[in-house]
């Protein structure tokens, strides 16, 4: 190979290397960015302690009544939920159901005792959430003695948070 050819190749290589280096330093082809965020806590409802029911003293010719208190803890950052619905369910006895009982659920905190609106089928609704301490009263309906008298009956409560208009 001639000297001129080798020199031409060397010159061309130097020009390409310089051009590529200049291009990479001149243009900015990649960049990145980031952001941080702290998401809200989840909205939760939990029972602080298991509730118990006790039969209140009754008299002859009156239906028995069981009463107890239950307290729900609500974590509700940003007030996303504004309604608590409490739905009772029944098991035990001789195939007892919620239809065999009358339920009353009352907000029992700080002397504020409005009865929650609703029924055992659709639930009892609290739209204030100023307190989550409730008194539950359960009375067997007249005619349900065969299903519940002298038998263990389990009364469960399911609490659901929601947002209503």
């Amino acid at each position: 190979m001639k000297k001129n050819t080798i020199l031409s190749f060397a010159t061309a290589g130097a020009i390409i290397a310089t051009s590529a280096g200049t291009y990479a330093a001149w243009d900015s082809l990649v960049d990145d960015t980031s952001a941080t965020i702290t998401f809200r806590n989840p909205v939760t409802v939990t029972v602080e302690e298991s509730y118990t029911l006790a039969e209140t003293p009754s008299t002859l010719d009156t239906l028995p009544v069981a009463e107890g208190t239950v307290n729900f803890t609500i974590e509700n950052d940003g007030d996303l939920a504004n309604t608590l619905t409490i739905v009772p369910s029944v098991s035990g006895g001789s195939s007892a159901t919620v239809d065999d009982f009358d339920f009353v659920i009352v907000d029992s905190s700080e002397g504020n005792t409005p009865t929650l609106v609703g029924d055992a089928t659709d639930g009892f609704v609290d739209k204030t959430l100023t307190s989550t301490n409730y008194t539950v009263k359960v009375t067997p309906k007249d005619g349900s003695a065969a299903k519940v008298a002298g038998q263990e009956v389990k009364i469960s409560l399911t609490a659901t948070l929601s947002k209503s208009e």
Side-chain angles (χ1 to χ4, degrees):
M1 225 187 250
K2 292 184 178 177
K3 265 185 175 175
N4 285 345
T5 306
I6 293 174
L7 186 59
S8 295
F9 283 137
T11 303
I15 291 172
I16 290 172
T18 304
S19 296
T22 304
Y23 178 81
W26 181 262
D27 295 324
S28 177
L29 302 178
V30 177
D31 197 3
D32 64 14
T33 187
S34 64
T36 59
I37 186 168
T38 302
F39 289 101
R40 67 171 173 79
N41 290 319
V43 174
T44 60
V45 58
T46 54
V47 175
E48 280 190 7
E49 297 178 17
S50 294
Y51 83 107
T52 58
L53 293 171
E55 188 173 343
T56 59
S58 59
T59 60
L60 192 61
D61 291 330
T62 62
L63 294 170
V65 176
E67 186 174 318
T69 59
V70 61
N71 191 29
F72 296 102
T73 300
I74 296 175
E75 299 295 331
N76 188 18
D77 285 358
D79 294 327
L80 296 176
N82 63 1
T83 302
L84 181 69
T85 303
I86 302 170
V87 179
S89 61
V90 174
S91 62
S94 296
S95 300
T97 69
V98 292
D99 296 329
D100 295 312
F101 297 91
D102 287 322
F103 291 87
V104 175
I105 301 179
V106 175
D107 182 345
S108 60
S109 72
E110 302 174 17
N112 181 19
T113 57
T115 301
L116 275 60
V117 177
D119 58 39
T121 303
D122 296 324
F124 296 88
V125 178
D126 182 353
K127 289 188 177 185
T128 65
L129 296 185
T130 55
S131 160
T132 54
N133 188 16
Y134 304 96
T135 300
V136 179
K137 293 181 183 180
V138 183
T139 306
K141 289 182 179 176
D142 198 19
S144 65
K147 290 185 176 182
V148 300
Q151 302 175 59
E152 188 173 280
V153 177
K154 181 178 180 180
I155 310 291
S156 300
L157 301 175
T158 301
T160 303
L161 284 169
S162 62
K163 180 77 170 182
S164 63
E165 300 290 323

